[in-house]
Amino acid sequence: MANGATVGVIANPASSRDIRRIVARGPATTTNDKINSLARLMEGLAATGVKNVLSMSDAGGIAAGLAGIAAKASAMHWPNLDFVDQKITHSPDDTINAAKAMQDAGVDAIVVLGGDGTNRLLIGSTGSIPVASISTGTNNAYPRRDEPTVVGFAAGLLATGHIDSAACTYRAKTLTINAGDISLPALVDIAVVTGDRIASGAVWDADSLQEVFLCFAEPDAVGLSSIGGRLQPVSRRNPHGLRIRTDATSPRRVTVPIAPGLVRDLGITAVTALPPGETVAINADSGVISVDGERSLRFTADTPVTVTLQHDGPVVLDVPRAMHEAALPTTTTKGEDTHG
Amino acid sequence: MGELDRLAMYQQMVRIRQYESRIMQEYHADKSPAWDIGAGLIPGEMHLAAGQEPAAVGVCAHLKKGDAITAPHRPHHFALAHRVDMNKMTAEIYGRTTGLCKGKGGHMHLFDPENHFSCSGIIAQGLPVACGQAMAFQRKGTDHVAVAVTGEGAANQGAFHESLNLAAVWNLPVIFVIEDNDWAISVPKDASTAGASNADRAAGYGMPGVRVEDNDVEAVYEAAGAAIDRARAGDGPSLIEIHTLRLFGHFEGDAQAYRPELETVNERDPIPQYAAALQELGVLSEDQIASIQADADAEVDAAIEFAKSSPEPAPEDALLHVFA
Amino acid sequence: MSTATGTRRVTTAKAMAEGIGLEMQRDPNVFVMGEDVGAYGGIFGSTTDLFGEFGADRVIDTPISETGFIGAGIGAAVEGLRPVVELMFVDFYGVCMDQISNHMAKIHYESGGNVKVPMVLMTATGAGYSDAAQHSQSLWGTFAHLPGMKVVVPSNPYDAKGLMISAIQDDNPVLYMFHKGAQGLVWMEKNPRSIGEVPEESYTVPIGKAAVAREGTDVTIVTLSLSVQHSLDVAEELEGEGISVEIVDLRSLVPLDTETVLESVGKTGRVLVVDEDYKSFGLTGEIAAIIAENDPGMLKKPFRRVAMPDVPIPYARPLEYGVLPTRDKIKAAVKDLMA
């Protein structure tokens, strides 16, 4: 049983800019909700014997809020809490730099609070460290809705060596879009939309959709991956991804939640498997690319744009499997049943 | 939502920037002695909004005649973006009879009833007034909206919370716009505000709240468009917090010694950033940049000239206009 | 007295509400908002029966957010509506004074006369029922001191209705300050003068015009609000003692009818100012200054005043009545002037 286990914690203070709050009654996760989630996570980590937690720093009040609770008498049993010494840039770099610092510090597991966007930032920055995710963003397909206390148990059991990593982790798939010298990764979806606007980011205009590439497609998902989920489900561990072409005039219809509270009827022209390692060209010759639901890149006919599916994403800690693994060898000694 | 007109938005931002820059020059040009805030052709406090143009331009691009704005003590960008006459506004700042308020208001108290524009020097206190304007629009059965602008520091005032509650409980067509420029005079937001995002506070009132993290006019445009459409349709108030940039001091004469990131502010200037983005899109040329700047220079110079050549009020005029 | 057609006896509260109701019938832009003005009818009866007649759309119960809804009244007035807004107790001014003083009262001036704020802010004043320091003040001197709002203070049902109609029709913000003890409420001891003859039809009482509530020749009492009722009682008693008291009911503080005051003082040569507001830096001193500026020689006897001493208003009955301008104190002061 390893002692001195360390868990890294990343909480994105900016996962709330989302226009879907107005156009689709998107949920709001407040800063105080995030702090409370972290406090619950700490309880789970403490219960499994994790000794140290290394948290991202931020100027958005999350680190300060967590430190405030940690200083209270009621948190004396928590793991020792340190913060990454990092320059705050108010940009996505803050999240990436925190992950890199955790890798350098040799943490045993990382827990991320955020949505699809925050998790996406970690691609390539967490190496072989298992990562557990807690959903706090506006539109989440990637992080599961697990209770932070339980995530704390799972991450703690893994970090302290109580459970076998191989049994409860897997490599996430990624999609990479290449346009000229620009290359952007995604964890869930890449979409091609019409127009030339990046603006507020989120994709919420169904009519603008042209083509969607998916790492996985779960029938109970929300967001663009729900399209695939309804047409041809693909699990997270399936080697293949999915490619879908849309056309508003197509007679083949599917009704899906493309964002929380935003249900749209789409016309589908093609659904095909996307094999790993194969680089495919997109259909359109101009428009905007969104990665994990956020419009990120304009392209024109001058630039060939391709998409590739790979198995090189973060090492995912599967919380349900981890807890199942931990439950198998019973720890209750015979004759100690206090409920008798 | 209205059709995105990128050139018009760029032009408006340049116009506002030129205005604020020239007012800054003029303000200091004849301060003698230089420390005397009451000296010169433009006396009194002067709060300039350079760097915050994306907020005003992105929001006002969606407003039509008859929509109302209440602005705070830093009002020029919203006034200009909301069609307030530049000549009359400048004459008011110079305290002339041709000014919007005949020299009675000054730069923190600009009133333009034709455009339903007003501002108040008391932070957050324009919010209840905007609620009342929205109430009037609602009662008259129009689809007009009221935009209540305030800084992030003002979001800790009771008036802010009373107004959010009132607008939500009465489903008023109000858009609360918070310009978060990181600084409440010299106090940073994290030292003054529980909770990093005022968009979160909106959630407490059952109102959608969005935080636009980048000082990007198109991001503001899109968020504001969604909020304004929602209000016009009768779906009630929204809150938009825009993380913007105070390029100058709190007021003119503020040395900003408290501000550690001061040397980086020019790198974060939103106007060159937007110009570069538009050039990359191929909708803005070097020639256009030059001609837009020249037009702004000429318009602002003419407004300043108009103000300077306008008559000053007579002392006895101070007794006029107490009552209608 | 013979009763004219349409005249009957009603309380001050009912008269106020009638004034509002008639204006609401006449002008669809008039509406009422405030705390408990709806089904309750106003804690002090100022909106009696209006909710039943006009419904929740025009008689609006607000959250307990005086800054919010007074500001909303200002915004609505700026857009051409004519809100009648109630601040439940004037003592609550502390939580909303910025809207009243910095906005309602200043916008017209600050705008160079370009923006009008036609709103009525009505509010309950006064002591006498042991509501103590935070629910008993008069404070009209405070508001009259601040430029930009008209201030009216009715003392009886007839004026209450006529001044309300004038206030609603005025293009300026009007602070309408009614005394709880003069409302004629069933749950508060009242002077019979709180119920009086009021025409059913609409009429106005001009803002800025004082009334001579009783003519007399020996002493002028300049007063307002509930103190007018006390002074009339005293004058009736003193008549039997051979003292003729003239009573000037100011009715408006802004604008102040100095002419009527000076005319009466010029006639009697003796003046007593009775004021339920605090004594120092207020109405009593203002009247003294007006007389002094006009002609100090018009007084045969030194100026006298009965006002609230400069203490917060106490709770216990002996303490409260120890500081209030009671009939006994008014009477003593008049007799002193005649001695």
Side-chain angles (χ1 to χ4, degrees):
Chain A
M1 197 183 305
N3 246 338
T6 301
V7 171
V9 172
I10 291 173
N12 181 0
S15 64
S16 63
R17 56 178 276 194
D18 203 300
I19 194 170
R20 281 170 292 210
R21 281 195 188 177
I22 297 181
V23 297
R25 301 184 185 88
T29 306
T30 68
T31 301
N32 289 317
D33 287 335
K34 291 176 188 173
I35 294 167
N36 285 345
S37 289
L38 287 177
R40 303 207 297 278
L41 173 75
M42 293 294 278
E43 294 292 346
L45 293 173
T48 58
V50 169
K51 294 296 176 201
N52 303 297
V53 165
L54 179 60
S55 169
M56 172 176 165
S57 299
D58 70 284
I62 297 177
L66 184 62
I69 299 177
K72 291 179 179 164
S74 58
M76 293 306 285
H77 61 291
W78 281 11
N80 175 47
L81 177 64
D82 283 317
F83 292 91
V84 175
D85 183 14
Q86 61 184 118
K87 185 176 186 290
I88 305 297
T89 64
H90 297 280
S91 75
D93 290 345
D94 292 344
T95 298
I96 295 166
N97 292 339
K100 286 180 176 159
M102 288 171 192
Q103 220 181 341
D104 292 346
V107 301
D108 300 292
I110 293 176
V111 179
V112 182
L113 263 80
D116 292 345
T118 306
N119 282 283
R120 187 188 151 261
L121 292 172
L122 296 177
I123 298 172
S125 301
T126 53
S128 57
I129 305 168
V131 180
S133 297
I134 296 170
S135 170
T136 63
T138 307
N139 187 145
N140 301 321
Y142 181 80
R144 300 175 48 89
R145 295 187 182 275
D146 294 316
E147 159 57 32
T149 320
V150 179
V151 176
F153 267 94
L157 289 166
L158 182 74
T160 52
H162 283 88
I163 52 174
D164 176 22
S165 175
C168 56
T169 63
Y170 64 94
R171 222 6 122 173
K173 289 178 269 188
T174 65
L175 287 161
T176 304
I177 188 112
N178 284 295
D181 51 2
I182 297 174
S183 174
L184 294 172
L187 277 176
V188 184
D189 56 65
I190 281 176
V192 183
V193 300
T194 54
D196 61 2
R197 286 157 69 176
I198 295 193
S200 63
V203 174
W204 50 275
D205 178 6
D207 292 339
S208 69
L209 272 180
Q210 292 193 297
E211 200 167 11
V212 182
F213 298 85
L214 300 173
C215 287
F216 58 89
E218 293 170 338
D220 61 342
V222 65
L224 297 177
S225 72
S226 71
I227 304 168
R230 288 295 297 276
L231 295 167
Q232 188 175 311
V234 176
S235 78
R236 296 180 193 233
R237 299 191 189 218
N238 185 310
H240 286 76
L242 209 60
R243 177 179 190 173
I244 301 163
R245 286 187 194 162
T246 62
D247 180 346
T249 63
S250 169
R252 186 181 177 191
R253 312 302 297 178
V254 62
T255 302
V256 290
I258 64 166
L262 195 68
V263 178
R264 289 292 179 267
D265 182 51
L266 301 171
I268 305 297
T269 54
V271 181
T272 51
L274 185 66
E278 198 173 296
T279 294
V280 297
I282 66 165
N283 229 21
D285 58 12
S286 74
V288 169
I289 301 291
S290 81
V291 289
D292 290 336
E294 297 286 320
R295 278 169 280 161
S296 302
L297 177 69
R298 294 186 190 97
F299 68 98
T300 58
D302 314 338
T303 320
V305 182
T306 61
V307 175
T308 314
L309 178 81
Q310 286 164 298
H311 287 254
D312 63 351
V315 175
V316 180
L317 170 60
D318 184 329
V319 172
R321 283 206 187 189
M323 296 311 289
H324 189 69
E325 183 80 5
L328 281 178
T330 177
T331 52
T332 309
T333 312
K334 274 178 196 166
E336 275 187 14
D337 186 357
T338 53
H339 301 285
Chain B
M1 198 196 300
E3 207 33 58
L4 174 67
D5 187 342
R6 292 185 161 115
L7 270 185
M9 293 208 297
Y10 175 73
Q11 203 162 6
Q12 188 68 279
M13 291 207 292
V14 170
R15 179 175 175 260
I16 293 168
R17 174 63 56 82
Q18 179 62 18
Y19 191 81
E20 298 297 65
S21 303
R22 286 283 284 119
I23 293 292
M24 178 172 77
Q25 278 174 8
E26 292 289 318
Y27 181 83
H28 294 293
D30 60 352
K31 282 269 173 295
S32 179
W35 49 261
D36 184 358
I37 191 170
L41 283 179
I42 307 177
E45 282 183 67
M46 178 53 63
H47 313 83
L48 298 173
Q52 301 184 189
E53 296 88 351
V57 173
V59 170
C60 294
H62 298 280
L63 298 182
K64 57 184 184 183
K65 189 100 176 174
D67 291 335
I69 294 184
T70 63
H73 59 291
R74 195 183 306 287
H76 299 172
H77 54 328
F78 271 92
L80 291 173
H82 195 50
R83 305 184 185 88
V84 172
D85 184 274
M86 190 190 279
N87 281 356
K88 290 181 184 172
M89 175 169 140
T90 311
E92 186 58 34
I93 291 169
Y94 277 82
R96 304 303 168 111
T97 58
T98 54
L100 283 173
C101 313
K102 306 182 180 78
K104 289 222 162 70
H107 121 95
M108 282 190 277
H109 316 101
L110 302 169
F111 292 87
D112 178 6
E114 193 192 328
N115 289 300
H116 302 254
F117 179 89
S118 67
C119 53
S120 171
I122 312 294
I123 63 160
Q125 296 289 344
L127 275 58
V129 176
C131 288
Q133 290 177 291
M135 195 181 177
F137 299 150
Q138 190 185 55
R139 295 183 75 80
K140 290 174 182 175
T142 71
D143 72 345
H144 285 303
V145 300
V147 175
V149 186
T150 196
E152 90 288 347
N156 295 322
Q157 282 279 11
F160 169 84
H161 295 276
E162 289 193 21
S163 299
L164 260 64
N165 181 63
L166 204 62
V169 79
W170 288 347
N171 198 43
L172 297 174
V174 185
I175 296 89
F176 297 98
V177 173
I178 300 178
E179 295 183 281
D180 176 6
N181 65 16
D182 295 328
W183 295 98
I185 305 187
S186 66
V187 178
K189 188 180 186 184
D190 59 3
S192 65
T193 304
S197 167
N198 283 301
D200 288 358
R201 288 172 159 182
Y205 296 99
M207 182 188 305
V210 173
R211 183 168 161 90
V212 178
E213 195 54 54
D214 317 305
N215 197 17
D216 166 17
V217 69
E218 290 193 21
V220 175
Y221 174 86
E222 197 158 85
I228 291 167
D229 282 355
R230 190 173 179 278
R232 288 202 204 286
D235 284 347
S238 307
L239 182 148
I240 301 169
E241 181 166 62
I242 301 160
H243 190 194
T244 188
L245 173 71
R246 199 183 78 198
L247 211 45
F248 300 166
H250 164 69
F251 51 33
E252 284 312 299
D254 174 5
Q256 303 195 79
Y258 51 82
R259 207 169 159 183
E261 34 57 283
L262 197 58
E263 73 276 15
T264 68
V265 291
N266 288 330
E267 296 162 24
R268 289 183 283 148
D269 187 336
I271 294 182
Q273 284 175 12
Y274 194 48
L278 295 188
Q279 283 185 285
E280 197 190 313
L281 271 171
V283 298
L284 182 70
S285 67
E286 286 293 342
D287 285 352
Q288 280 171 306
I289 290 177
S291 77
I292 286 169
Q293 185 64 52
D295 287 351
D297 293 356
E299 188 190 4
V300 174
D301 285 350
I304 290 172
E305 181 50 38
F306 171 79
K308 285 179 171 174
S309 62
S310 291
E312 289 194 306
E316 57 269 28
D317 291 354
L319 301 181
L320 302 176
H321 305 126
V322 178
F323 290 117
Chain C
M1 192 190 285
S2 68
T3 304
T5 312
T7 303
R8 68 280 183 262
R9 294 175 61 77
V10 300
T11 63
T12 305
K14 180 67 182 160
M16 273 179 76
E18 273 188 14
I20 298 169
L22 286 167
E23 284 302 291
M24 290 179 75
Q25 286 170 7
R26 188 187 61 79
D27 182 351
N29 287 325
V30 179
F31 68 98
V32 184
M33 63 176 162
E35 292 155 6
D36 307 289
V37 298
Y40 196 108
I43 296 299
F44 304 106
S46 56
T47 57
T48 304
D49 296 337
L50 295 179
F51 187 77
E53 184 177 356
F54 298 100
D57 181 53
R58 291 184 74 192
V59 185
I60 303 166
D61 279 324
T62 61
I64 302 174
S65 304
E66 288 84 357
T67 288
F69 70 76
I70 292 174
I74 295 165
V78 160
E79 293 296 336
L81 302 186
R82 290 189 173 265
V84 178
V85 182
E86 180 162 286
L87 173 62
M88 186 187 286
F89 286 78
V90 74
D91 310 73
F92 303 167
Y93 76 131
V95 299
C96 55
M97 195 57 157
D98 189 76
Q99 286 299 330
I100 297 171
S101 167
N102 269 331
H103 292 83
M104 184 183 86
K106 286 182 184 168
I107 284 175
H108 180 71
Y109 184 85
E110 284 178 322
S111 72
N114 290 328
V115 179
K116 293 193 178 84
V117 188
M119 76 181 265
V120 177
L121 182 61
M122 59 182 176
T123 186
T125 67
Y129 60 103
S130 285
D131 231 2
Q134 297 172 349
H135 291 74
S136 297
Q137 300 171 98
S138 294
L139 294 178
W140 36 66
T142 300
F143 292 91
H145 179 69
L146 299 167
M149 61 192 130
K150 296 187 177 178
V151 179
V152 300
V153 191
S155 69
N156 61 71
Y158 182 91
D159 287 351
K161 180 169 172 176
L163 279 172
M164 178 57 79
I165 292 172
S166 293
I168 295 171
Q169 292 179 357
D170 201 290
D171 277 345
N172 295 286
V174 179
L175 185 65
Y176 184 109
M177 307 181 83
F178 59 91
H179 198 295
K180 288 162 273 182
Q183 286 292 83
L185 303 171
V186 295
W187 47 279
M188 203 176 279
E189 186 202 346
K190 60 189 154 291
N191 190 302
R193 299 178 200 278
S194 299
I195 301 172
E197 290 188 356
V198 174
E200 281 183 23
E201 65 270 19
S202 181
Y203 62 93
T204 57
V205 167
I207 295 174
K209 186 78 190 115
V212 177
R214 179 191 172 96
E215 290 194 20
T217 52
D218 296 327
V219 176
T220 297
I221 297 179
V222 177
T223 188
L224 74 175
S225 194
L226 183 64
S227 298
V228 174
Q229 299 187 5
H230 296 333
S231 298
L232 286 166
D233 294 342
V234 168
E236 282 175 7
E237 285 177 37
L238 289 173
E239 194 175 18
E241 297 178 31
I243 299 173
S244 171
V245 178
E246 177 148 307
I247 297 171
V248 175
D249 178 355
L250 290 171
R251 300 197 296 194
S252 298
L253 293 186
V254 181
L256 183 66
D257 182 358
T258 55
E259 199 178 315
T260 300
V261 172
L262 290 172
E263 197 176 310
S264 178
V265 175
K267 183 168 79 177
T268 61
R270 297 179 186 88
V271 64
L272 167 67
V273 183
V274 180
D275 186 11
E276 202 183 307
D277 201 356
Y278 301 117
K279 179 176 175 182
S280 299
F281 309 100
L283 172 64
T284 55
E286 185 63 30
I287 300 293
I290 286 164
I291 294 167
E293 281 177 337
N294 180 68
D295 175 11
M298 69 200 296
L299 293 182
K300 297 177 200 161
K301 282 288 186 75
F303 175 90
R304 288 296 301 262
R305 51 180 160 171
V306 172
M308 188 71 76
D310 300 320
V311 296
I313 299 169
Y315 164 69
R317 195 173 296 112
L319 298 176
E320 185 184 24
Y321 278 84
V323 297
L324 277 173
T326 57
R327 293 178 188 85
D328 289 347
K329 288 176 201 161
I330 297 167
K331 192 172 177 181
V334 173
K335 291 178 88 163
D336 197 34
L337 274 169
M338 293 304 293

